[in-house]
Amino acid sequence: MKKDILRTKMLSIIVLVLALLFTVSGIDAAAASKQVTLRFGAWMVSAWVEPFQAIISDFEKSHPNIKVKFEYAPFAQYWEQLQTAVAAGTAPDVTLMSVAYLIDFAKRGAIVKLQPYVDRDLKTSDYYIFGDNRYPDKEKGELYSIPIHWVSKVLYYNKNLFDKEGVNYPTNDWGWDDLLAAAKKLTKDTNGDGKVDQWGFLVDTGFVENFIWQNNGEILNKDFTKCLLDEPAAREAVQFLHDLIYKHKVSPPLARASSGGQAEVLEDMFQTGKAAMSINGSWMIGMYRDIKAFKWDIAFLPKGKRRAVYAGPDSLAILSSSKHKEEAWEFIKHFLKPESQRILAKYGTGTPVLKSIARSKEFLDSELPPEHMNVIPDQFPYIHRSYFSSKWFEWISAMTSELDLAFMNKKPIDQALKDATAKVDAILATTR
């Protein structure tokens, strides 16, 4: 009898302890066993698919009650699909959020304010948290998306071509004149037919803002209500790039053409070995690692009157229509764990937002190119605030189309900048 009473008491204690454990951890036993499917929507470049799938797989293993349905598409196509899905009430639970769209989505109430989750669960000083993820104010606003990695513009260079022509590799102290001097030596008619077939540099409308900033200019004013492209500092920077094409003849007329606001590559002449230098995003590292024909590396952007470089995050946000917001937040947090950050770093998707990984030997001293991966975090102090705001994609498309005309010599620079300013101002007026 005493044994039965003792056994009953022991079972009661075990049940009580288990109940307390579940209560302390905030997990309800019934909820813990409930199967949930999260839909994760994203735009993808080919080099990103494998690491994202690996992180999703790890998440599902550590959260056996949560399955993730990964839905992705190319950038422009994805955003068309997502906006249609939001309007129809069929949006995914979590989305890879572009800072170009964050303000508009937050204004519409389409994404969840994440600041309460962040305050509860994260030590933000451990991460690169960008103001572009805040709304309504970049500096003091609340977070609506959480960066998982970040990218910046860097100078790519073909080491084989530099060695062949006896040109010293770019240094982090290079200025605009150094870029031009090297580009002249690297531009060649290699087969003697009177046409250049090896270019020293590629001018691309996708990096014009960096040169404007370096010349102490701006594209928009501080409150994003007026375009400043028609100011002398911006005009001088655009003229320098135009001269690289038509005066110094070290770059083809245009490496890209705008298509609905998204730069469409006509040919990546750096990747095919036809250009010695190119400024592009660090997101290209994963793709350029497939290059077998030559060795390459990266350096700081050449500086003008000052250093300035674009950098920004790719982030995750929770859609307001999600019925699984806590599970969605768990999924986001999983991307911030060291093991997930290592996966992103390994595949070169971007620079880890977890500072300890971004500055780790395993990230900076990878056996894969580039040799000087430290260039990306080392440029962090020189990041210039960008202009992500309502209707960003609309006005940036208008600006880019005019710059394209200038760089293809189809419109004088002064006229192109004047027309771009008028178009951008008209779009900005509709956001007020």
Side-chain angles (χ1 to χ4, degrees):
M1 181 65 117
K2 289 183 178 180
K3 288 183 178 180
D4 290 340
I5 293 172
L6 183 60
R7 186 181 298 110
T8 301
K9 286 183 177 180
M10 289 297 295
L11 287 172
S12 298
I13 291 170
I14 291 169
V15 170
L16 179 61
V17 170
L18 288 172
L20 286 171
L21 285 173
F22 279 124
T23 301
V24 169
S25 62
I27 299 173
D28 177 79
S33 62
K34 181 182 177 182
Q35 284 294 316
V36 169
T37 297
L38 286 179
R39 291 173 56 214
F40 172 39
W43 78 89
M44 285 281 114
V45 295
S46 58
W48 289 8
V49 175
E50 188 174 343
F52 272 67
Q53 287 177 330
I55 292 171
I56 290 169
S57 178
D58 285 348
F59 174 77
E60 289 179 331
K61 289 176 184 176
S62 61
H63 297 76
N65 63 309
I66 305 175
K67 297 298 179 185
V68 179
K69 185 179 180 183
F70 188 21
E71 305 165 356
Y72 59 90
F75 188 89
Q77 181 183 341
Y78 176 73
W79 286 105
E80 289 178 8
Q81 293 174 350
L82 182 60
Q83 295 189 74
T84 300
V86 168
T90 58
D93 296 282
V94 180
T95 182
L96 187 62
M97 176 54 63
S98 167
V99 286
Y101 285 101
L102 181 132
I103 298 297
D104 287 324
F105 272 71
K107 270 187 175 182
R108 293 163 58 187
I111 53 178
V112 174
K113 183 194 299 183
L114 296 182
Q115 193 69 50
Y117 295 90
V118 171
D119 293 341
R120 186 187 72 188
D121 294 343
L122 294 183
K123 183 181 177 184
T124 54
S125 60
D126 290 342
Y127 304 92
Y128 292 107
I129 300 291
F130 286 69
D132 293 321
N133 295 92
R134 298 185 184 276
Y135 175 78
D137 179 82
K138 283 175 175 282
E139 311 305 328
K140 300 177 182 178
E142 296 189 283
L143 288 164
Y144 275 74
S145 65
I146 302 299
I148 56 169
H149 61 201
W150 58 278
V151 294
S152 66
K153 293 295 174 75
V154 295
L155 177 67
Y156 291 89
Y157 61 96
N158 183 321
K159 297 173 75 171
N160 289 39
L161 293 182
F162 271 76
D163 292 343
K164 176 185 174 185
E165 306 301 339
V167 180
N168 292 330
Y169 296 154
T171 72
N172 293 343
D173 294 323
W174 261 26
W176 291 7
D177 289 341
D178 298 301
L179 174 72
L180 173 58
K184 285 181 176 179
K185 295 175 182 177
L186 292 158
T187 301
K188 298 286 182 179
D189 169 15
T190 59
N191 59 11
D193 65 354
K195 297 179 181 179
V196 173
D197 35 41
Q198 176 183 300
W199 296 98
F201 184 65
L202 295 177
V203 170
D204 183 338
T205 51
F207 60 67
V208 172
E209 62 182 2
N210 297 272
F211 280 76
I212 292 174
W213 296 335
Q214 291 169 10
N215 203 42
N216 290 327
E218 295 285 350
I219 294 176
L220 300 184
N221 61 358
K222 288 185 179 180
D223 58 1
F224 301 172
T225 58
K226 181 175 175 53
C227 181
L228 305 178
L229 274 174
D230 205 21
E231 299 288 330
R235 192 179 303 111
E236 288 174 7
V238 175
Q239 184 68 60
F240 172 78
L241 295 172
H242 190 273
D243 285 348
L244 293 179
I245 302 171
Y246 298 104
K247 179 180 178 180
H248 304 296
K249 303 184 187 307
V250 297
S251 169
L254 196 64
R256 296 184 170 199
S258 63
S259 174
Q262 183 72 357
E264 179 182 344
V265 179
L266 302 181
E267 179 188 1
D268 189 333
M269 299 177 76
F270 179 80
Q271 191 170 20
T272 56
K274 296 178 182 178
M277 292 182 286
S278 172
I279 291 175
N280 210 326
S282 58
W283 58 84
M284 297 298 293
I285 287 174
M287 285 175 272
Y288 285 172
R289 282 176 172 168
D290 291 333
I291 296 174
K292 306 300 181 187
F294 59 87
K295 294 181 180 179
W296 57 275
D297 204 349
I298 60 174
F300 275 33
L301 295 195
K303 63 182 178 181
K305 295 174 182 175
R306 62 175 179 136
R307 289 198 185 280
V309 60
Y310 166 78
D314 289 320
S315 308
L316 295 179
I318 300 174
L319 277 296
S320 298
S321 57
S322 173
K323 296 179 180 179
H324 308 293
K325 293 183 177 64
E326 280 294 338
E327 290 88 350
W329 175 244
E330 284 298 313
F331 181 63
I332 290 176
K333 285 197 299 180
H334 188 79
F335 269 82
L336 302 178
K337 291 185 174 182
E339 52 268 36
S340 299
Q341 291 285 291
R342 288 189 182 98
I343 290 173
L344 293 175
K346 175 184 175 183
Y347 283 85
T349 67
T351 302
V353 292
L354 185 57
K355 293 176 182 178
S356 61
I357 302 298
R359 288 292 183 181
S360 67
K361 186 174 181 179
E362 63 185 307
F363 177 64
L364 299 180
D365 296 337
S366 169
E367 294 181 0
L368 298 171
E371 179 182 352
H372 292 94
M373 183 68 88
N374 62 288
V375 161
I376 303 168
D378 286 353
Q379 283 192 130
F380 195 85
Y382 308 108
I383 292 173
H384 187 286
R385 179 185 183 187
S386 197
Y387 310 98
F388 295 113
S389 58
S390 185
K391 295 192 176 181
W392 177 88
F393 224 72
E394 189 174 337
W395 70 256
I396 205 76
S397 300
M399 180 191 80
T400 302
S401 63
E402 290 295 330
L403 290 175
D404 284 350
L405 293 174
F407 290 139
M408 290 187 288
N409 231 19
K410 293 182 178 180
K411 185 180 283 192
I413 290 175
D414 286 350
Q415 188 62 50
L417 293 178
K418 182 178 180 180
D419 292 345
T421 300
K423 289 182 178 180
V424 172
D425 279 343
I427 294 168
L428 294 176
T430 66
T431 66
R432 295 199 279 273

